[in-house]
Amino acid sequence: MRDRVLARILGPSTSAFTADQIATMGKLRDAAIADPYALDELRHLTNNIGPRISGSPQAQHAVEYVAAEMKALGAEVTLEKTSVPHWIRGTETGALTAWPGMTPGTTQKIVLTALGGSVTTPADGLTAEVVVVNSWADLKALNPATVKGKILLFNKKFDKQLAAQQGGIYAYGDAVQYRAVAPIAGASVGASAVLVRSVGGADYRIPHTGMTMYAPGIEKIPAAAVTAEDADTLADLTHQGPVTMHLTLITQTLPDAPSFNVIADWKGTEHPEQVVVVSGHLDSWDLGTGAIDDGAGVVVSMQAIHLLQKLGIHPRRTVRFIAWMSEEEGSQGAATYMKDHEADVESHIGALESDLGAGHPDGVVWAGKPELGPWLAPVAQALEPIGAHTFRSSPETGEDINGLTEKGVPSFAPSQDGRYYFNYHHTPADTFDKVNPRELSENAAVMTVLAYALADSAEPAPR
Ligand SMILES: [Zn+2]
């Protein structure tokens, strides 16, 4: 206990960083808080360019825009070619046509949105009875004959209390499994279409989209998310008696499209071949404008390069900005990067990704050897003035840097306040106004200071 207290006060006995480096961390932190670059870039990505779904003209525009911005800072820019899903949302409507206690001759609207990758319904939609289950156990207990040809709703609740107490990611993980495999599970019991209760905490009857999956050899059936409110209505009415719904989801799945990761190197002075990745994903869903998911992650990473340029800082190793493509639809960009960089994974000294919004970061989550914890102590101290000094280990940090993490590259993510993130992510309400400028700049400070520390230490971070 005494040693732990002393170590907290005095720092580890041998710091990996010099006094000059620690002073530079402070300068970068303060500059990140004061500089509006990240916010201005986010405004442009969201308000001007807009939604950036994989394969879309806006995603391509964003690639070109970010590449040009990085070039303007003097970074060495490469567009890394990849191939991404190209799915397009069309008309989507739901309406009850028969239910207990209905007013004859009326219908009742159901608010929904197609899940990413969903196949289309016939042009004039399909009409079927609705069956509701709350869990996999419920589904198993059902006689498949009672589901055949029907619309199956997975009514798994997003646990708002869990989100409030432990951060949204846990509540999300709990519920998102239903969204991911609903069409496979539904088709295997003969359903004609599936619905899932939206995976998120929002009120105001907002549907949440997100990727869903099909499996080879199992029929592909249409899939949509209904709002939490509509899921409750369906559960109530089906409890009372038979409910029939008309569902129209017009979607197109085009051949995979060429696209790009944007890579921008701020070259190292001593070991330019050694790289520290600082990243976010450039693609977004199409309902909102991708501000918190994940425009924020892209712009706080851009800010790292911008501040190194502005303050004239040239670390020993290369700081590599990456705007990943198609995280939302399967991380195809990240897979391409891992393939292209198979031979030089060893030269990756660290990898950062921000992809949990722009809420206040209370510190950093890191994946790596236990020795990494004490090694990071001076970095945590440099972030203490903005309340971002709690560093925790975690098996995973970011979806796009998972491949690097698995190969033993130390990886990192800002540990954001995720209590409200899932109220907006993947919804029409993921827009620029949801980002608090101060909190965005705190995230930029975390990314910038950490990237600098990893890139400039005399010895690479332990791995
Ligand atoms: Zn994301």
Side-chain angles (χ1 to χ4, degrees), residues 231-245:
D232 284 342
T233 302
L234 286 167
D236 180 32
L237 293 177
T238 53
H239 196 68
Q240 297 176 33
V243 173
T244 302
M245 179 171 166

Side-chain angles (χ1 to χ4, degrees), residues 281 293-294 327-328 355 421 425-426:
H281 68 84
D293 190 13
D294 183 29
E327 189 277 342
E328 297 294 0
D355 186 19
Y421 176 68
H425 116 302
H426 297 190

